[in-house]
Amino acid sequence: MNIIIVSKRHGRSRMVSSWVLAPVFLLLLTIVSGLGYLTYQSLTPEEQVIIDAKATEEWIDRVKSQSEELDKTRVYTEEQINALRVRLAELQARLTRLDALGERLVDVASLDEGEFDFSLPPAVGGPESGGIDYTPPDFVYVLDELASQIANREQQLNVLNSLLGDRKIQAETFVAGRPISRGWMSSRYGYRNDPFSGKLAWHDGVDFAGKDGTDIVSVASGVVTWAGSRYGYGELVEINHGNGYVTRYAHCKEVLVEVGDVVKKSDIIALMGSTGRSTGPHVHFEVLLNGKSVDPAKYINRVARF
């Protein structure tokens, strides 16, 4: 290969062989390569690499920390779910006991089974209204449903308890039974021959004869309104039972209660004697309704239906 060189000054040309210029090209190539190497060596380590070791370590530590946090969150979530399962089991056990208690009370109280049916879910309803279209997790729905059932059962039991309480009060204040634990009826209610004068006279109560000192009991719960001597009655106990009912127990040997005392059905209130206008140990028993005497016989054999 030959190279032609043209001179501007004289306008002449010369032919130069490529072998003569080869050392020049080699020199230029060596200079360029040297400059490139020196430039590379002059760069800082940060400029030589895109990601250094320090940044890599920081990222590794951050990933490790996030992994540990994730593990902690997973453990905490599992613990919470287990706690919810335990709580759910407790609520189900409570509901089972409430249902059993409710059914037992309904049976004991002889109530209509349709009124308090603890085997059926609570009846609910109401007009549809707009709301958020949201489907809660299964366990949340179960807990809400269970809480609703427990609230319904507690409401039924409160009503039932109130009903039974009213029935108990009615049963306690229900005038019924004999005023003595031992003895026999010696005189009935109405007209009879007076034991002192022999004339026909009205008798406001019934008499129960027995052994001196026999217990006299209250035929119903109430409040003592008289406890002491009274003309014709001797030692007298009078009890107000409410609803217009008052009972009297006369000719007592000893009075065991005081005015204002609250007595229960079958409580001993006095001992049988013969005080006042009496021919022997007995108790004169009266029943008054709204201030008027009534025949005690129908209350003596009265049967409560509650």
Side-chain angles (χ1 to χ4, degrees):
M1 174 178 163
N2 297 320
I3 298 174
I4 299 174
I5 300 175
V6 179
S7 173
K8 291 182 179 181
R9 184 174 180 184
H10 300 286
R12 291 181 300 177
S13 61
R14 286 179 23 179
M15 184 177 294
V16 179
S17 176
S18 59
W19 297 106
V20 177
L21 297 175
V24 177
F25 285 119
L26 289 174
L27 178 62
L28 292 175
L29 181 61
T30 302
I31 293 172
V32 171
S33 299
L35 290 175
Y37 177 77
L38 292 175
T39 302
Y40 173 79
Q41 291 295 326
S42 64
L43 293 176
T44 61
E46 289 78 2
E47 293 172 328
Q48 295 179 27
V49 295
I50 298 176
I51 301 176
D52 64 359
K54 184 177 181 181
T56 304
E57 291 177 359
E58 290 180 355
W59 287 355
I60 293 175
D61 291 341
R62 185 176 301 176
V63 171
K64 183 178 179 182
S65 176
Q66 291 177 349
S67 178
E68 292 176 353
E69 290 294 330
L70 183 61
D71 291 338
K72 291 180 181 179
T73 302
R74 184 182 297 109
V75 172
Y76 176 78
T77 303
E78 291 177 354
E79 290 176 351
Q80 293 300 309
I81 292 176
N82 290 334
L84 286 174
R85 289 173 179 169
V86 174
R87 181 59 176 165
L88 179 61
E90 291 176 354
L91 290 175
Q92 289 175 335
R94 284 181 58 193
L95 182 60
T96 301
R97 287 195 296 268
L98 286 174
D99 286 346
L101 176 60
E103 292 174 0
R104 176 59 178 165
L105 290 176
V106 169
D107 182 60
V108 170
S110 301
L111 298 175
D112 182 8
E113 293 182 357
E115 184 177 2
F116 294 95
D117 193 346
F118 289 87
S119 62
L120 297 177
V124 296
E128 183 178 0
S129 60
I132 300 175
D133 187 10
Y134 169 70
T135 303
D138 291 341
F139 70 89
V140 174
Y141 173 78
V142 172
L143 286 176
D144 290 343
E145 188 72 15
L146 197 57
S148 176
Q149 292 182 17
I150 290 177
N152 176 267
R153 295 299 190 267
E154 288 178 345
Q155 183 179 7
Q156 289 191 20
L157 286 176
N158 287 334
V159 174
L160 185 58
N161 181 61
S162 177
L163 180 61
L164 292 177
D166 291 342
R167 288 192 174 188
K168 183 177 181 180
I169 292 174
Q170 292 177 14
E172 286 290 327
T173 59
F174 187 73
V175 177
R178 291 156 54 96
I180 57 172
S181 56
R182 295 180 181 179
W184 65 94
M185 184 182 293
S186 56
S187 181
R188 294 186 177 275
Y189 176 83
Y191 285 102
R192 68 172 184 176
N193 291 327
D194 186 273
F196 291 95
S197 66
K199 297 179 181 180
L200 192 64
W202 179 260
H203 188 221
D204 280 333
V206 295
D207 294 336
F208 287 91
K211 185 178 180 181
D212 185 58
T214 299
D215 293 339
I216 299 174
V217 298
S218 175
V219 296
S221 298
V223 179
V224 177
T225 54
W226 188 283
S229 298
R230 190 162 180 175
Y231 178 76
Y233 289 96
E235 295 296 315
L236 171 71
V237 175
E238 182 180 88
I239 302 175
N240 189 319
H241 306 284
N243 297 321
Y245 283 101
V246 173
T247 55
R248 289 175 178 169
Y249 312 79
H251 309 300
C252 304
K253 177 179 181 179
E254 182 180 356
V255 174
L256 304 178
V257 293
E258 298 180 354
V259 174
D261 286 352
V262 176
V263 296
K264 296 181 180 180
K265 187 178 181 69
S266 300
D267 280 355
I268 300 173
I269 56 175
L271 301 179
M272 185 182 293
S274 185
T275 58
R277 198 169 182 267
S278 171
T279 60
H282 75 287
V283 57
H284 172 80
F285 178 58
E286 289 184 15
V287 177
L288 290 86
L289 179 59
N290 297 323
K292 296 181 180 181
S293 66
V294 293
D295 188 356
K298 68 178 181 179
Y299 295 95
I300 293 171
N301 300 316
R302 198 179 186 191
V303 177
R305 292 187 180 135
F306 297 107

